[in-house]
Amino acid sequence: MERRGAAAGGDVCVCRTVFPAHANHRGELSAGQLLKWMDAAACLAAEKHAGVSCVTASMDDIQFEEAARVGQIITIKAKVNRAFKTSMEVGIKVTVQDVLTNVEKIVSVAYATYVAKPVGAGKIELEPVKLLSTDDHLEHTLAIERRRIRLGYEQVFQNLMQESNKEGDYYGTFEEEDTVSTDLTHVQSIELVQPPHANHHGNTFGGQIMAWMETVASISASRLCHSYPVLKSVNMFKFWGPSVVGDRLVFNAIVNNTFRNSVEVGVRVEAYNCEEWIKDQARHINSAFLIFNSVNDKGELLTFPRIKPTTKDGMRRYHGAIARRKIRLARKCMLSAKEKPSDPWETSNQAYVTYSNIAALTHLAAKPAWEITGTLDDIKIWTHEEGDVLSLKVEMQVKIPSHLAFSLLSDFTFRQQWDKHFLTCEVLQAVNEDEKIYYVTSPPMTGHKPRDFVILVSQRQPCKPSEPYAVAVKSVTLTSMPPSPEYCRSEILCAGFQIYSDSNSSCTVCYFNQVTSGVMPYLAANLTGSSKSIEDTALECIKFLELKGSKY
């Protein structure tokens, strides 16, 4: 097996001026053209790292935040975040700059997966990416979490579809006079793949296929809104197979559902060579779901009419659009942290809650300029200030192997044995082998009610020896566990452990906590020297770990 890869990974920066040929009727860069540029830049980054040709495997959900206009400059930065055995995650950041004002805005941030194509019949194993900066380390760690979301997406979607199916296929709800049959939105287009559409190996550019899909989906959406729709997001382009020069690509687009100011269009792409074309033997090479808005001359959002599925497959697509919208909204809420859904732990949100849990801890640990505020034997206490946010870090040297420390610290039912701030702790839900939801009560502070928490604990083992074990903690909302008048419901914004292996018999345990009002009194007392509560808890943690570890 041949190992390939540039040690420093692939970093590519591409600048483009938006000309009229790239724009739509409004003078804005067309989404299809932008997708082509994004794919080309990301492919260059992937090939720079792999040292061989690469093909697009998938592109995660894409959100378009800003429009670029004729005369403005588009900058596309692409970087390999992590290399797996034969595939890579490439991060893509698109910004637009106005030449006259010099103002720069983010257009889109996306993540794509590329696969290295072996030369001949041999196999390729990619070299790891060399991490040169804090941001490199951060994206490298989070790439694993994003990969978990990709792999788990289909299961989440199927669970939501099963929930929808329990409600039944109620055709009666579509009898309103203002509904539009989905049949009227069906659009088919055929493209012949020619040499300019393909790379030097004859494989069709993934970005070219995306651009064609955007065109046919836009036509489908326009049949509902009777205006020019604007692409706002894409639900994961996934390539199921290749196409080559000479193939006929058949694009079928149809509206799946409308949501007042937005519409989802599904596009299926099938490929045929000459022989398959005659025999009508299609190869399904790609599917995607594109979400459009439509605006009037004043820039106000237009309302889409309700649609009426006319077949069983149409009903499946109708409910599928609802499921994807739930996942999309969950992602928006969890990853932006700008708002909380009514129940962050419903089926559609689980993957994104766990991602944000691990991501928040990783971001907190990676922050620069931690200041040491206290030391005691094998314990160091650090603080970090950023605006009005204060964070705490406690570093402990423990004489047990890292995997044992991880096992003991990730099981929060042990927490009462060393942390006096945990009065009771019970498992509410074992989501999977890496995630559990706990209900915790804490003793009261002077003059206050006892506190309680509903927390998600996510645990991750390292992919390689130099990476830490991680145990991330954050509060979540469960409709089945509402606040009680007996307790003051408190919140953990971001907390947890990172555990680094020092030797076969010792490790460094780092505890992090983004300080909330509940923690502030303990930290303030420690910083002023009037209390040693944090050091005492850390000493108890070390004692607990080493005592338990000696029994293994």
Side-chain angles (χ1 to χ4, degrees):
M1 180 178 290
E2 184 181 6
R3 290 181 68 86
R4 301 297 294 266
D11 288 34
V12 168
C13 182
V14 176
C15 294
R16 303 276 189 182
T17 300
V18 181
F19 290 113
H22 305 139
N24 58 25
H25 70 286
R26 290 183 297 271
E28 296 174 352
L29 174 63
S30 75
Q33 182 63 62
L34 179 56
L35 288 167
K36 287 172 66 174
W37 286 347
M38 290 170 68
D39 178 62
C43 189
L44 287 172
E47 291 182 348
K48 184 178 178 182
H49 177 76
V52 295
S53 295
C54 297
V55 294
T56 315
S58 66
M59 193 170 284
D60 292 1
D61 296 359
I62 307 168
Q63 306 286 329
F64 296 100
E65 307 295 342
E66 288 285 339
R69 302 190 66 82
V70 170
Q72 293 182 325
I73 298 171
I74 285 286
T75 301
I76 305 171
K77 294 181 179 179
K79 180 178 70 172
V80 175
N81 292 328
R82 188 161 192 147
F84 303 97
K85 286 188 176 180
T86 60
S87 66
M88 294 154 280
E89 182 196 91
V90 180
I92 310 164
K93 182 179 180 180
V94 185
T95 57
V96 59
Q97 183 182 23
D98 190 282
V99 177
L100 300 179
T101 65
N102 212 32
V103 173
E104 187 175 73
K105 295 181 180 180
I106 294 177
V107 175
S108 184
V109 175
Y111 299 94
T113 302
Y114 287 80
V115 176
K117 285 196 67 177
V119 179
K123 290 187 177 181
I124 291 176
E125 184 173 335
L126 296 169
E127 292 282 353
V129 175
K130 186 176 181 180
L131 308 177
L132 303 176
S133 68
T134 302
D135 284 344
D136 290 346
H137 282 275
L138 189 60
E139 291 297 336
H140 186 262
T141 301
L142 296 181
I144 282 287
E145 293 304 307
R146 288 188 288 264
R147 190 168 191 251
R148 290 169 68 98
I149 289 179
R150 288 181 206 115
L151 296 176
Y153 181 95
E154 188 60 31
Q155 185 60 55
V156 173
F157 176 75
Q158 291 302 330
N159 290 343
L160 287 171
M161 287 296 286
Q162 288 175 12
E163 291 175 11
S164 178
N165 289 338
K166 291 176 184 177
E167 300 171 4
D169 292 345
Y170 299 115
Y171 282 90
T173 59
F174 304 105
E175 294 303 321
E176 298 178 16
E177 292 182 2
D178 61 347
T179 56
V180 178
S181 170
T182 54
D183 294 344
L184 299 176
T185 70
H186 177 242
V187 176
Q188 185 179 88
S189 180
I190 303 174
E191 300 285 351
L192 176 64
V193 180
Q194 301 189 48
H197 304 141
N199 62 21
H200 53 291
H201 290 290
N203 294 307
T204 315
F205 287 121
Q208 178 63 68
I209 295 175
M210 294 181 207
W212 281 330
M213 294 175 79
E214 189 272 336
T215 298
V216 70
S218 178
I219 297 170
S220 176
S222 70
R223 292 185 175 177
L224 271 185
C225 60
H226 303 294
S227 66
Y228 299 98
V230 180
L231 182 65
K232 297 304 293 181
S233 64
V234 181
N235 261 71
M236 192 179 286
F237 285 107
K238 190 164 186 180
F239 290 86
W240 300 100
S243 66
V244 297
V245 171
D247 277 350
R248 286 84 173 154
L249 303 187
V250 178
F251 297 79
N252 281 288
I254 193 168
V255 167
N256 292 331
N257 208 335
T258 59
F259 305 99
R260 187 172 175 78
N261 298 128
S262 65
V263 57
E264 181 194 279
V265 181
V267 185
R268 179 184 173 93
V269 187
E270 295 175 332
Y272 301 79
N273 60 28
C274 287
E275 185 176 343
E276 293 165 340
W277 188 249
I278 295 170
K279 296 180 179 179
D280 196 25
Q281 295 176 340
R283 288 177 281 122
H284 177 207
I285 63 167
N286 186 269
S287 286
F289 304 93
L290 296 84
I291 295 84
F292 292 87
N293 294 145
S294 188
V295 295
N296 60 21
D297 294 338
K298 297 179 181 179
E300 298 167 335
L301 287 174
L302 298 178
T303 300
F304 286 91
R306 293 190 63 197
I307 58 100
K308 178 182 178 181
T310 58
T311 64
K312 187 174 182 180
D313 187 59
M315 283 299 301
R316 177 187 62 79
R317 290 185 281 102
Y318 179 92
H319 288 298
I322 296 172
R324 282 183 291 273
R325 185 171 187 262
K326 287 182 178 179
I327 296 173
R328 198 160 55 247
L329 293 176
R331 186 187 81 136
K332 183 178 179 181
C333 291
M334 293 301 137
L335 302 192
S336 69
K338 292 179 181 176
E339 52 185 308
K340 275 192 174 184
S342 58
D343 188 353
W345 202 248
E346 65 182 22
T347 304
S348 59
N349 299 333
Q350 292 179 8
Y352 298 106
V353 176
T354 59
Y355 171 83
S356 67
N357 196 18
I358 292 293
L361 177 63
T362 306
H363 277 280
L364 180 58
K367 287 183 180 296
W370 284 89
E371 295 184 4
I372 192 162
T373 57
T375 60
L376 175 67
D377 298 330
D378 293 329
I379 301 167
K380 293 180 182 178
I381 300 175
W382 311 69
T383 56
H384 182 277
E385 290 187 69
E386 188 174 15
D388 58 353
V389 178
L390 181 64
S391 300
L392 170 72
K393 172 183 174 182
V394 182
E395 184 180 298
M396 298 168 276
Q397 303 300 319
V398 186
K399 296 181 177 62
I400 65 168
S402 55
H403 71 275
L404 284 182
F406 170 69
S407 176
L408 294 167
L409 291 173
S410 59
D411 186 345
F412 268 48
T413 58
F414 288 142
R415 188 75 176 253
Q416 301 149 265
Q417 298 183 35
W418 59 269
D419 190 347
K420 64 182 181 181
H421 305 106
F422 274 54
L423 197 60
T424 64
C425 182
E426 62 174 303
V427 177
L428 292 178
Q429 185 177 341
V431 182
N432 54 50
E433 61 181 14
D434 291 326
E435 268 85 29
K436 289 186 176 66
I437 299 177
Y438 293 86
Y439 177 67
V440 178
T441 62
S442 292
M445 292 185 286
T446 306
H448 294 83
K449 292 180 182 179
R451 294 176 297 144
D452 67 348
F453 305 82
V454 178
I455 57 173
L456 167 68
V457 177
S458 304
Q459 61 183 60
R460 297 289 186 271
Q461 298 191 41
C463 295
K464 53 186 181 182
S466 60
E467 296 177 348
Y469 291 88
V471 181
V473 185
K474 70 175 292 183
S475 289
V476 293
T477 302
L478 278 185
T479 52
S480 60
M481 186 60 66
S484 163
E486 300 174 21
Y487 293 93
C488 175
R489 176 61 53 87
S490 298
E491 184 177 19
I492 295 174
L493 298 176
C494 173
F497 300 92
Q498 285 191 340
I499 305 161
Y500 290 86
S501 179
D502 296 331
S503 69
N504 291 334
S505 59
S506 65
C507 64
T508 298
V509 175
C510 295
Y511 170 74
F512 297 89
N513 194 318
Q514 187 174 321
V515 177
T516 58
S517 57
V519 180
M520 186 61 77
Y522 301 104
L523 181 56
N526 258 78
L527 295 178
T528 59
S530 61
S531 170
K532 293 292 183 182
S533 173
I534 294 175
E535 289 93 334
D536 292 343
T537 303
L539 286 170
E540 288 299 317
C541 180
I542 294 172
K543 188 187 302 183
F544 164 79
L545 291 173
E546 292 182 348
L547 180 62
K548 284 283 188 180
S550 66
K551 296 179 181 179
Y552 284 88

